[in-house]
Each structure stands twice: as C-alpha cells, then as structure tokens.
Amino acid sequence: MIEFRHVYLKYIKDFYTLYDINLSINENSLLIGQCSDGTNSILRLISKIDKKYEGNIFFDDLNLKVLKDKDLDIAYVSEKPYLFKSKSVFENLYYPLKIRKVKQNEAKIIIDSYINKFKIDFTLNKIKNLTHPQQKIVTLLRALIRKPKYVLLEHYFNDLDENLISLTENIINEIKQHSTIIACEDLDTNISCFNDFRRIKLENGSLIH
C-alpha cells in the first residue's frame, strides 16, 4: 500500500501544488485532474523524482524518505517517452532486465512472447525511427516486462494515436495481472481498461470527496 499523510508540495514559494493530501492507495487507481491540480505530482512523489515536500509518504509501511531507490519497486511511464534513442527496441526493453542480472537469452524469451502476443510489428527498428506514439508503446511494454509491484502511468492517453488505443488497453490489461497501476488523466474518460479502477479526483492541489 502507498499512503500519503498530510503531504504538502510547493514548486514555487507562494503556491501549493499539493495541499494536505491524505490518501491510501492499495488498488488500481485513476487520478483525475490537470497537471496543475497535482495529479502527476503525486506520481512524481511516489517515484522520488520530487523529494522536497512536507509530510510523510509510506511505501508498504516504509517511509519513502529513507527508502533506497533500488528498493522502490515501481515503473514510471511518463507522458514523454524516455528511451535510448540510438538503440534498438529490444535493447530498450532488455535494459531494465539487464541491470537486474537477467541473462539476455532468458530476457529474449520473455520479450518475444509479449511482442508476439500483442502482434507488435515495429520492434526491428531503432527507437529514433519510431513515431512518438510507438515510442510510448515501448515504454509501456518495458513496464510490463519488468513486472514491478506498482506501475505509474502519467497522462498516457493524452496524445496517443487512435489506432494504438486498443493495443494500449490490451497491454494495460496484461499489466494489471502482475502490478498495481496508478494512472492519471485530465478527465474521467471512457477508457475501458480503467473501468474497474478506483477514481480519485483532485482540484487545485486538494482531494475532492
């Protein structure tokens, strides 16, 4: 479970991005609101990208302030894909397994099984030759292949090509079999893979009950 206790966050001196957030998350959840409402800030705090905040955040009963990064069992799928642009799709998918000492031949079996399952046809290209939405698919696959305890999805559907929505939902449904997903979107859209998610609404940095 991830728990926020009286959490306050400021990026600028006179404005709270998050104000007195008290929240427990132990199931697939959708944070609803604009970035200015603080939705993606919650993801950034959980992932320890943002570290200067008041209050406490607990990750499975351990205070995030003392939890080492290597023990933070999450995958962060940011709105903008962060990938090794000059490397192949396989190399990007293999990287999180490689640093966890998974042998390449074992990783290839895992990676190929998902590529075949989802019928992905652009994996022979280098990342720099993929479209932006295709790169987003790679970041989502990378999170699936790792199978972390939590997967954070930051406004993933905002600029996704319509013809990739079905594929994305299939991958997210697969991720749900292995990980708890915490996603954020601007609106409570009719995205079927989120139908069974808990809804958490934020406005101006505060939870709306």
Side-chain angles (χ1 to χ4, degrees):
M1 182 171 71
I2 295 173
E3 185 177 4
F4 283 62
R5 296 182 188 171
H6 300 291
V7 172
Y8 297 79
L9 174 68
K10 285 182 178 182
Y11 292 119
I12 58 175
K13 182 178 180 180
D14 298 321
F15 178 78
Y16 281 102
T17 299
L18 293 174
Y19 187 83
D20 197 18
I21 298 297
N22 292 280
L23 175 66
S24 296
I25 302 175
N26 59 4
E27 60 188 320
N28 295 323
S29 300
L30 178 62
L31 305 169
I32 302 166
Q34 305 285 327
C35 289
S36 59
D37 293 314
T39 50
N40 69 323
S41 294
I42 286 180
L43 303 189
R44 290 174 64 87
L45 287 173
I46 294 171
S47 62
K48 299 185 72 172
I49 295 173
D50 293 338
K51 298 181 180 181
K52 295 182 179 180
Y53 60 92
E54 300 173 47
N56 291 288
I57 302 170
F58 294 89
F59 187 96
D60 294 341
D61 296 324
L62 295 174
N63 196 309
L64 204 60
K65 292 176 180 177
V66 299
L67 186 65
K68 294 180 179 179
D69 290 354
K70 67 181 180 64
D71 296 324
L72 190 61
D73 193 12
I74 66 166
Y76 192 108
V77 182
S78 58
E79 185 173 1
K80 177 182 177 181
Y82 285 97
L83 298 162
F84 300 111
K85 297 297 177 66
S86 62
K87 295 187 179 296
S88 68
V89 170
F90 175 81
E91 289 172 307
N92 275 271
L93 294 176
Y94 175 43
Y95 179 74
L97 299 180
K98 181 179 180 179
I99 63 176
R100 290 167 176 81
K101 310 301 182 183
V102 177
K103 294 180 179 179
Q104 185 168 332
N105 59 340
E106 296 174 10
K108 190 175 188 305
I109 293 171
I110 298 168
I111 292 168
D112 286 349
S113 68
Y114 285 122
I115 288 172
N116 293 330
K117 179 173 184 174
F118 297 117
K119 298 180 173 61
I120 297 171
D121 58 4
F122 51 76
T123 55
L124 297 179
N125 297 330
K126 288 189 174 182
I127 294 296
K128 65 183 180 181
N129 296 325
L130 300 183
T131 66
H132 176 78
Q134 286 173 334
Q135 290 182 22
K136 294 188 75 166
I137 293 293
V138 174
T139 63
L140 195 60
L141 276 175
R142 188 172 58 184
L144 167 61
I145 288 164
R146 263 195 58 197
K147 295 183 173 61
K149 185 164 187 179
Y150 296 94
V151 173
L152 312 181
L153 302 180
E154 181 186 50
H155 297 284
Y156 190 89
F157 286 88
N158 268 10
D159 55 358
L160 192 66
D161 283 359
E162 193 170 317
N163 62 351
L164 290 176
I165 289 178
S166 178
L167 171 60
T168 296
E169 291 195 298
N170 288 338
I171 296 172
I172 290 175
N173 283 330
E174 182 69 24
I175 291 174
K176 288 193 289 189
Q177 306 306 310
H178 311 283
S179 308
T180 297
I181 298 174
I182 305 172
C184 67
E185 293 290 337
D186 292 344
L187 301 170
D188 191 358
T189 55
N190 295 320
I191 299 170
S192 64
C193 60
F194 292 155
N195 282 348
D196 58 349
F197 279 39
R198 173 190 176 193
R199 265 55 179 171
I200 301 169
K201 296 184 180 181
L202 288 99
E203 186 175 302
N204 298 323
S206 297
L207 294 171
I208 303 300
H209 300 287

